[in-house]
């Protein structure tokens, strides 16, 4: 079986390889990793070019990450190959895939036939590194969509998937300028800074890679502090493995309150200021 794994996130190559430990793996990504038999490195992303390249390999299965740009490639490749696409897969064995449904409130097992395109996410896996890797540089040619401007996402900070403490902001923080108070608290605690979908994908107060929820990062910290987050199902699905959830919200009836271990009914900014000062003076 020819397995092609593509993502702008190199960690997805490792996750994908864990599902097919005995197959020939072709990886396509942005940085060298040791989990593919053949590795194609790209210096920039052009979804059209990469999709056509993947289709030219005539794979039996294509595994793709769950970022927005990865999903664009997944849809494009499925169309080119005329094969089914299976999204939001959390586990894969043979021709059976487990995927989240009902905004993360349930898990469905899907039985399918190869070839197929499968969208997977990050998870902790143990994979043996390959001893011999054929590395190729893939010259990406610009397609119909052209980049006219590039903006830096800034510092990434602590990795959300491995962070033991996460401070997360929602629309209730008030404005992009107010996010700095959450950032100050996160720095004082040595925590990662994340956000809900409205804050990241809609309002742009934080980069999209900071999004926590069903369509973003699924996290499992020891402590999760939710600042001004209402607690919609898709967000709760991303934090269900957190050990302790602290909700800070003016609305005592917000859905997050029912799912929190501790609740502070009050202003999120004032909470950040007080807690940051207390942590610094400890």
């Amino acid at each position: 079986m020819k397995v092609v794994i593509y993502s702008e996130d190199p960690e997805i190559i490792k996750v994908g390889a864990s599902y097919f430990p005995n197959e020939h793996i072709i990886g396509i990504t942005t940085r060298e990793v040791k989990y593919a038999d053949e590795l194609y490195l790209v210096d920039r992303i052009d979804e059209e070019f990469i999709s056509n390249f993947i289709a030219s390999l005539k794979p039996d299965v294509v595994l793709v990450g769950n970022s927005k740009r990865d999903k664009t490639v997944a849809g494009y490749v499925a169309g080119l190959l005329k094969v089914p696409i299976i999204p939001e897969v959390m586990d894969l064995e043979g021709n059976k895939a487990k995927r989240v449904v009902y905004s993360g409130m349930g898990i469905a097992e899907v039985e399918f036939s190869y070839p197929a395109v499968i969208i997977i996410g990050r998870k902790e896996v143990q994979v043996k590194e390959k001893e011999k890797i054929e590395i190729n540089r893939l010259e990406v040619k610009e397609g119909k969509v052209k980049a006219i401007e590039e903006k830096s996402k800034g510092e990434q900070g602590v990795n959300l998937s491995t962070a033991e403490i996460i401070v997360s902001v929602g629309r209730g923080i008030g404005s992009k300028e107010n996010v700095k108070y959450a950032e100050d608290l996160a720095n004082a605690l040595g925590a990662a800074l994340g956000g809900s979908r409205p804050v990241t994908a809609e309002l742009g107060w934080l980069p999209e890679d900071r999004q926590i929820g069903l369509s973003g990062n699924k996290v499992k910290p020891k402590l999760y502090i939710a600042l001004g987050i209402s607690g919609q199902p898709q967000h709760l699905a991303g934090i269900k493995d957190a050990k302790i959830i602290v909700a800070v919200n003016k609305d005592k009836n917000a859905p997050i309150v029912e799912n929190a271990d501790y609740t502070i009914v009050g202003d999120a900014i004032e909470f950040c200021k007080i807690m940051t000062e207390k942590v610094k003076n400890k």
Side-chain angles (χ1 to χ4, degrees), residues 43-276:
D43 57 359
R44 61 188 181 88
I45 307 298
D46 183 276
E47 290 87 347
E48 181 186 2
F49 177 87
I50 291 171
S51 299
N52 280 298
F53 176 73
I54 292 173
S56 73
L57 297 174
K58 301 189 185 317
D60 297 296
V61 59
V62 179
L63 302 177
V64 177
N66 64 358
S67 71
K68 279 190 173 181
R69 300 183 77 178
D70 283 2
K71 288 177 179 178
T72 299
V73 170
Y76 207 138
V77 171
L80 290 171
L81 296 176
K82 294 181 173 56
V83 299
I85 181 169
I86 309 171
E88 304 294 347
V89 170
M90 56 185 293
D91 199 14
L92 179 65
E93 186 175 351
N95 68 332
K96 294 180 179 179
K98 289 182 179 179
R99 60 182 300 268
V100 291
V101 294
Y102 303 124
S103 296
M105 297 298 106
I107 299 174
E109 185 172 86
V110 179
E111 190 170 337
F112 63 96
S113 299
Y114 291 105
V117 175
I118 302 171
I119 297 175
I120 61 176
R122 274 192 176 209
K123 61 186 281 190
E124 292 297 318
V125 294
Q126 298 296 322
V127 181
K128 186 179 179 181
E129 294 183 345
K130 302 283 186 179
E131 294 182 1
K132 293 183 179 180
I133 308 170
E134 180 185 332
I135 299 178
N136 304 280
R137 299 278 175 182
L138 189 60
E139 184 181 350
V140 178
K141 298 177 181 178
E142 195 170 51
K144 297 175 183 176
V145 178
K146 295 178 170 56
I148 58 174
E149 184 182 2
E150 291 186 7
K151 292 183 179 180
S152 172
K153 291 183 178 179
E155 293 296 323
Q156 295 295 312
V158 183
N159 191 324
L160 286 171
S161 64
T162 59
E164 294 193 346
I165 304 175
I166 295 175
V167 175
S168 191
V169 297
R171 199 192 300 266
I173 202 74
S175 68
K176 184 174 184 178
E177 290 69 31
N178 290 340
V179 173
K180 67 180 180 182
Y181 298 109
E183 189 172 11
D184 288 343
L185 178 57
N187 290 335
L189 292 169
L193 182 65
S196 62
R197 179 179 174 82
V199 167
T200 55
E202 297 171 17
L203 297 171
W205 294 353
L206 282 173
E208 287 191 37
D209 64 349
R210 300 282 93 193
Q211 182 182 329
I212 294 172
L214 183 62
S215 56
N217 293 279
K218 285 82 171 178
V219 298
K220 48 181 180 179
K222 292 181 178 178
L223 174 62
Y224 185 82
I225 302 175
L227 304 170
I229 294 175
S230 63
Q232 295 304 310
Q234 85 91 25
H235 186 80
L236 295 175
I239 65 172
K240 62 185 178 64
D241 293 324
K243 291 187 177 180
I244 297 176
I245 298 174
V246 176
V248 184
N249 205 297
K250 290 181 179 179
D251 182 5
K252 65 179 181 180
N253 297 314
I256 189 76
V257 172
E258 294 183 4
N259 294 273
D261 298 284
Y262 301 95
T263 301
I264 293 90
V265 179
D267 183 74
I269 297 172
E270 288 304 311
F271 171 85
C272 288
K273 289 179 180 179
I274 293 170
M275 289 303 298
T276 301

